[in-house]
């Protein structure tokens, strides 16, 4: 019965996504929904994209083992990322009216920086999308009572999500995200109420968790621990800022104000609701301690689904798995679309020639979406990392390669191509150097050291005499001065005698 409910919901949501696809007529519609999304849809798509499998399965499993201290990266760092994007990045990026985040790097620093950062961004999505595909396999396996294997579930899930993402692009993602946000919120609150009733209320669970030390958040006053804490925090807080999916939500907004506050509000909603799965998972330690004990080391991601299957009535199961599937689908569709669009626009389009028609470009974006779906499904099938680790590790490469050039490009006027290339080279070299040649547990985590190396590269490269790269595009005010100078020169050429007379008066 549960499986049939899941199948029915799956078919309906795919149908809605395909209906939204009727609004896609060009690449702008496909990539950024034609810049038409209202506030409620931007908020919904920001929230639903972030609220993925790691929020429902990965974060609670980590919380049970390590407490709040273990989930610094997500939801604390992840929600802060969205709030920072809304407050400091949404407005300047929205005004630039670009199609992809790669276009920003091209406009500010030239083709080389565009290619390097785009490749880093695309690679970072392997872990994030891989985590969603892994979770889909797990869900189909659970709701079918083992009839559908995890591998088959991965292919079924990724294939059906591909259908509406392929046709509908950002429009389909945004419309289905709105539906899925409603189901996530209602489903999580309902199952929370159901489970809390079995343990004697929320207060009992909170009290028990407090006594068990699960709410210990801050690190001890040990330098190595403080550095590790800060490194975990910045991984997603800064590393996921230069991402195409975040950029798409900003650019898809109808107005600049919507871009700012839709992102901020979506981030706040995400932070609040991320605690519901943690509450549910900890409730399992009171309801079925033997089950938790048997799964905590073997497969902690299964604790929450097992709790619901064994201790909740059918309707609550439907609500939970509906919310879980909504979370995974919204996240997976967004993270399939984002790298496909930026890879097509910033890597393939210049290689194929800028005269590519809009119709052919749309076809190219869709083809890359298919290829990327197959690639990440194969990656997920062969990855041994947990869902939480797959997501957390995904942002390290963008943290060390793309974050500093983005901030400097917006807020530091002296930043230039040479500085951006130095930032990328230094960040990547230090990160890989520590990962490959450093100790297993370094005093300073590789990505944290890489971020500071990237900052050093940007400052040193921008201030040193220029030896590489091309001059920055002219700032608007410089361009205006240049335009006036050009107009004056033309005027002199047309009226030389008038110019001499005026000059004589001065």
């Amino acid at each position: 019965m549960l499986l049939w409910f899941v199948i029915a919901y799956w078919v309906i949501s795919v149908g809605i996504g395909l209906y939204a696809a009727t609004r896609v007529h060009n690449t702008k519609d496909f990539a950024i929904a034609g810049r038409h999304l209202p506030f409620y849809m931007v908020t919904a798509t920001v929230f639903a994209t972030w609220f993925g499998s790691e929020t429902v399965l990965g974060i609670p499993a980590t919380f049970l083992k390590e407490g709040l201290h273990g989930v610094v990266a997500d939801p604390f760092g992840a929600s802060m990322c969205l709030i920072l994007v809304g407050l400091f990045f949404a407005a300047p990026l929205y005004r630039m009216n670009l199609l992809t985040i790669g276009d920003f790097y091209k406009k500010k620093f030239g083709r080389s920086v565009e290619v390097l950062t785009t490749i880093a961004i695309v690679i970072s999505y392997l872990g994030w999308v891989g985590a969603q595909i892994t979770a889909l396999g797990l869900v189909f396996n659970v709701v079918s009572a083992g009839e559908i294997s995890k591998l088959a579930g991965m292919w079924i899930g990724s294939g059906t999500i591909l259908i509406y993402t392929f046709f509908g692009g950002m429009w389909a993602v945004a419309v289905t995200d709105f539906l899925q946000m409603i189901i996530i919120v209602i489903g999580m609150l309902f199952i929370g109420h159901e489970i809390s009733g079995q343990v004697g209320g929320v207060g009992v669970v909170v009290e028990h968790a407090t006594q068990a030390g699960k709410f210990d958040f801050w690190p001890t006053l040990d330098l190595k621990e403080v550095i590790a804490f800060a490194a975990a925090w910045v991984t997603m807080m800064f590393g996921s800022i230069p991402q195409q999916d975040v950029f798409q939500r900003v650019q898809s907004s109808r107005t600049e104000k919507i871009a700012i506050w839709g992102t901020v509000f979506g981030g706040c909603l995400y932070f609040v609701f991320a605690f519901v799965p943690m509450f549910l998972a900890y409730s399992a330690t009171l309801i079925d301690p033997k089950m938790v004990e048997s799964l905590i080391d073997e497969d902690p991601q299964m604790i929450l689904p097992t709790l619901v299957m064994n201790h909740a009535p059918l309707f609550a199961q439907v609500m939970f798995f509906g919310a879980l599937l909504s979370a995974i689908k919204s996240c997976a569709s967004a993270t399939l679309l984002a790298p496909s669009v930026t890879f097509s626009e910033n890597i393939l389009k210049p290689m194929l020639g800028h005269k590519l028609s809009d119709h052919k470009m749309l076809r190219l974006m869709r083809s890359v979406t298919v290829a990327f779906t197959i690639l990440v499904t194969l990656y997920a099938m062969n990855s041994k990392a947990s869902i939480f680790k797959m997501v957390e590790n995904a942002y390290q490469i963008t943290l060390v390669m793309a974050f500093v050039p983005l901030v400097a490009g917006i807020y530091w006027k002296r930043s230039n191509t040479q500085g951006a290339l130095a930032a990328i080279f230094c960040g990547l070299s230090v990160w890989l150097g520590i990962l490959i040649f450093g100790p297993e547990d370094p005093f300073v985590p590789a990505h944290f050291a890489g971020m500071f190396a990237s900052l050093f590269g940007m400052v040193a490269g921008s201030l040193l005499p220029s030896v590489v790269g091309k001059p920055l595009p002219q700032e608007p005010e410089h361009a205006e001065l240049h335009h006036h100078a050009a107009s004056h020169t033309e005027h002199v050429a047309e009226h030389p005698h008038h110019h001499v007379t005026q000059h004589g008066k001065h």
Side-chain angles (χ1 to χ4, degrees):
M1 183 65 75
L2 175 61
L3 180 60
W4 283 112
F5 273 117
V6 167
I7 290 170
Y9 166 66
W10 200 259
V11 170
I12 290 167
S13 57
V14 170
I16 291 170
L18 289 174
Y19 173 75
T22 58
R23 305 191 72 162
V24 175
H25 306 293
N26 52 47
T27 51
K28 193 173 181 181
D29 289 336
F30 188 81
I32 53 173
R35 283 194 141 198
H36 289 312
L37 297 188
F39 175 77
Y40 69 90
M41 285 188 80
V42 173
T43 302
T45 192
V46 166
F47 168 81
T49 299
W50 240 238
F51 202 99
S53 62
E54 72 285 356
T55 317
V56 184
L57 301 175
I59 294 173
T62 307
F63 174 73
L64 281 182
K65 294 181 83 171
E66 304 174 35
L68 274 188
H69 186 75
V71 293
V72 174
D74 195 0
F76 290 92
S79 50
M80 274 305 298
C81 160
L82 293 172
I83 293 166
L84 290 174
V85 167
L87 295 178
F88 299 105
F89 295 89
L93 288 173
Y94 188 84
R95 287 178 206 139
M96 293 177 80
N97 194 18
L98 307 170
L99 198 65
T100 69
I101 189 75
D103 290 344
F104 168 83
Y105 293 105
K106 176 174 67 177
K107 187 165 183 163
K108 286 289 181 180
F109 303 118
R111 175 69 179 153
S112 300
V113 176
E114 173 196 13
V115 170
L116 291 170
T117 50
T118 298
I119 290 171
I121 289 165
V122 170
I123 290 171
S124 74
Y125 279 98
L126 280 174
W128 197 8
V129 190
Q132 312 313 314
I133 304 298
T134 301
L136 281 173
L138 187 149
V139 171
F140 277 111
N141 181 254
V142 170
V143 298
S144 67
E147 291 295 315
I148 299 173
S149 70
K150 286 184 182 180
L151 291 182
M154 287 181 188
W155 284 110
I156 292 168
S158 61
T160 46
I161 289 170
L162 172 64
I163 292 170
Y164 69 78
T165 308
F166 177 88
F167 289 106
M170 189 60 197
W171 264 119
V173 169
V175 172
T176 52
D177 276 0
F178 179 65
L179 165 73
Q180 285 154 0
M181 185 190 84
I182 295 169
I183 293 170
I184 288 168
V185 170
I186 294 173
M188 283 293 143
L189 290 176
F190 182 85
I191 195 73
H193 177 263
E194 189 70 32
I195 294 297
S196 68
Q198 295 184 30
V199 293
V202 176
V204 174
V205 179
V206 172
E207 178 65 28
H208 197 279
T210 305
Q211 289 177 0
K214 296 298 179 186
F215 291 136
D216 294 342
F217 180 67
W218 299 105
T220 57
L221 291 177
D222 173 77
L223 185 57
K224 188 174 187 300
E225 275 207 36
V226 171
I227 291 172
F229 180 84
W233 194 301
V234 302
T235 304
M236 289 186 74
M237 183 167 66
F238 293 160
S240 47
I241 287 175
Q243 289 284 358
Q244 176 63 15
D245 61 280
V246 182
F247 178 85
Q248 276 178 307
R249 275 130 196 83
V250 168
Q251 292 296 332
S252 299
S253 305
R254 189 183 290 157
T255 66
E256 185 181 309
K257 203 170 182 180
I258 290 171
I260 295 167
W261 296 111
T263 310
V264 170
F265 195 52
C268 294
L269 264 181
Y270 171 72
F271 182 74
V272 171
F273 276 92
F275 282 90
V276 179
M278 283 190 260
F279 164 79
L280 294 173
Y282 195 80
S283 299
T285 62
L286 305 179
I287 296 170
D288 195 346
K290 284 186 178 178
M291 179 270 288
V292 173
E293 197 178 321
S294 66
L295 288 174
I296 192 74
D297 293 317
E298 183 190 326
D299 192 1
Q301 293 163 174
M302 282 298 296
I303 290 173
L304 195 45
T306 307
L307 172 74
V308 173
M309 291 297 286
N310 294 346
H311 297 278
L314 178 63
F315 186 70
Q317 292 177 17
V318 171
M319 293 301 289
F320 172 77
F321 283 103
L324 176 54
L325 283 170
S326 294
I328 297 168
K329 285 180 68 178
S330 57
C331 190
S333 58
T335 49
L336 283 176
L337 178 67
S340 305
V341 166
T342 194
F343 188 76
S344 304
E345 178 71 19
N346 300 109
I347 302 293
L348 295 181
K349 185 180 177 181
M351 289 168 61
L352 296 170
H354 290 280
K355 291 182 180 178
L356 211 63
S357 70
D358 192 77
H359 180 69
K360 286 181 179 176
M361 191 63 205
L362 180 58
R363 203 159 57 197
L364 178 67
M365 285 181 178
R366 284 173 167 161
S367 302
V368 173
T369 306
V370 174
F372 193 74
T373 304
I374 295 168
L375 181 66
V376 292
T377 306
L378 292 171
Y379 172 82
M381 287 168 61
N382 294 290
S383 177
K384 303 298 179 193
S386 70
I387 289 171
F388 186 81
K389 279 295 172 193
M390 285 170 82
V391 172
E392 187 180 14
N393 294 339
Y395 300 108
Q396 292 188 11
I397 190 168
T398 44
L399 177 67
V400 302
M401 287 182 68
F403 172 66
V404 170
L406 176 67
V407 177
I410 293 174
Y411 286 107
W412 191 35
K413 287 184 178 178
R414 295 192 65 177
S415 64
N416 57 29
T417 304
Q418 179 172 278
L421 288 171
I424 292 167
F425 175 76
C426 292
L428 186 62
S429 302
V430 169
W431 178 58
L432 289 177
I434 295 174
L435 281 181
I436 297 167
F437 304 110
E440 201 168 300
D441 183 24
F443 190 80
V444 179
H447 61 282
F448 200 53
M451 181 186 74
F452 284 105
S454 178
L455 181 61
F456 170 79
M458 172 57 78
V459 174
S462 297
L463 297 181
L464 286 172
S466 183
V467 292
V468 298
K470 62 180 184 180
L472 275 173
Q474 288 178 317
E475 295 295 325
E477 62 265 28
H478 295 152
E480 196 177 333
L481 286 173
H482 179 74
H483 173 72
H484 287 317
S487 302
H488 181 66
T489 306
E490 287 170 16
H491 180 76
V492 170
E494 289 172 15
H495 309 282
H497 301 296
H498 176 73
H499 176 69
V500 170
T501 309
Q502 294 296 323
H503 186 71
K505 285 181 182 177
H506 287 302

